[in-house]
């Protein structure tokens, strides 16, 4: 564990921000770094956990059925998760966090996001689309509808643990089109060989 002090970005107190970091290895994610920022002047706090062990870029696909709702899903903070049949996609951003859940837990997270969007929607067409997606998510949970869960991770920390999950290598073009969630990494800097152009 290491500790240092820096100026607070919120209240500007000189050396008021205590920054603590530690690394450890955990299953699925490999080596991670936990950081905690606390300002002793204004009380600002921020905690984050990031994977620091780079693995091969990976893509998993799984047809969601009633029998595999409990299959484990490990999502790192650099992962894009898609259910194309429902038009649902979550891309990583600066505040993305990793989690270990199951297929049903992923559906729950999508459902929560759609409900939030529905509460903000003002036009009727958007509201109708959101309601339709929520109905489809219920159908998936009840085994009335099958959809595809796609997990893409340019840093290779994510996985779908299911015998029927298909693991693929990401192509150069797919890697270049994915967001990483890190400002310090541009997709061109992911050690990609080849001359493929990024997708627009």
């Amino acid at each position: 564990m290491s500790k240092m002090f820096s100026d607070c970005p919120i209240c500007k107190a000189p050396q008021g921000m205590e920054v603590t970091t530690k690394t450890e290895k955990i299953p699925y994610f490999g080596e991670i770094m936990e950081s905690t920022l606390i300002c002793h002047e204004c009380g600002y706090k921020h905690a984050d956990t990031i994977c620091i062990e780079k693995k091969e870029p990976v893509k998993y696909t799984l047809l969601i059925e009633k029998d595999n709702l409990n299959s484990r899903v490990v999502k790192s903070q650099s992962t894009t998760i898609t259910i194309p049949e429902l038009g649902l996609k979550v891309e990583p951003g600066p505040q993305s966090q990793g989690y270990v859940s199951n297929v049903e837990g992923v559906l729950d997270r999508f459902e929560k996001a759609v409900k939030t969007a529905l509460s903000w929607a003002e036009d009727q067409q958007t509201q109708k689309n959101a309601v339709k997606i929520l109905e489809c998510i219920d159908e998936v949970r009840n085994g009335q509808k099958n959809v595809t869960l796609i997990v893409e991770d340019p840093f290779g920390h994510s996985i779908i643990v299911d015998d029927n999950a298909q693991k693929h290598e990401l192509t150069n073009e797919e890697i270049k089109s994915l967001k990483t969630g890190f400002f310090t990494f541009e997709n061109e800097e992911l050690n990609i060989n080849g001359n493929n152009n990024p997708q627009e």
Side-chain angles (χ1 to χ4, degrees):
M1 179 184 293
S2 67
K3 188 178 290 190
M4 59 180 277
F5 290 87
S6 67
D7 296 349
C8 177
I10 306 302
C11 71
K12 312 299 183 196
Q15 300 297 296
M17 178 76 71
E18 180 181 329
V19 181
T20 305
T21 60
K22 69 174 182 175
T23 60
E24 61 179 300
K25 280 189 172 274
I26 61 172
Y28 299 111
F29 290 108
E31 192 172 11
I32 64 163
M33 181 178 70
E34 296 176 283
S35 63
T36 306
L37 289 72
I38 300 174
C39 178
H40 297 291
E41 296 294 324
C42 69
Y44 172 77
K45 295 180 181 178
H46 178 74
D48 199 5
T49 302
I50 62 169
C51 299
I52 56 177
E53 184 177 315
K54 187 170 183 265
K55 299 180 180 179
E56 290 301 314
V58 69
K59 175 179 180 179
Y60 284 90
T61 59
L62 177 69
L63 184 67
I64 300 178
E65 301 173 306
K66 193 172 183 180
D67 293 340
N68 60 19
L69 291 175
N70 287 323
S71 294
R72 179 163 291 179
V73 177
V74 178
K75 176 209 171 286
S76 79
Q77 71 271 33
S78 59
T79 300
T80 296
I81 296 186
T82 312
I83 301 179
E85 295 90 343
L86 303 183
L88 297 174
K89 183 176 189 178
V90 173
E91 295 180 307
Q95 298 300 316
S96 291
Q97 295 184 339
Y99 60 79
V100 178
S101 186
N102 58 21
V103 172
E104 187 167 18
V106 173
L107 290 174
D108 290 344
R109 288 169 185 266
F110 272 120
E111 181 179 57
K112 183 177 178 181
V114 173
K115 284 181 177 178
T116 300
L118 179 59
S119 70
W120 294 343
E122 295 181 359
D123 64 286
Q124 287 190 340
Q125 188 58 50
T126 301
Q127 292 174 357
K128 285 180 182 178
N129 291 342
V131 169
K132 180 63 178 171
I133 291 171
L134 292 173
E135 290 172 354
C136 288
I137 290 174
D138 279 338
E139 290 174 357
V140 173
R141 274 203 201 92
N142 296 327
Q144 300 168 293
K145 183 179 184 71
N146 295 339
V147 295
T148 308
L149 177 65
I150 301 174
V151 171
E152 298 170 290
D153 188 350
F155 295 114
H157 296 113
S158 301
I159 186 173
I160 299 176
V161 185
D162 186 283
D163 290 340
N164 293 318
Q166 297 180 11
K167 181 180 179 181
H168 313 272
E169 289 185 14
L170 287 168
T171 66
N172 291 341
E173 190 170 299
E174 287 174 322
I175 294 170
K176 288 180 179 181
S177 70
L178 290 173
K179 295 183 179 179
T180 66
F182 299 104
F183 288 131
T184 53
F185 281 97
E186 295 296 336
N187 287 340
E188 304 85 58
E189 296 174 5
L190 292 177
N191 296 322
I192 301 166
N193 296 318
N195 297 318
N196 293 333
N197 293 321
Q199 293 178 353
E200 297 296 332

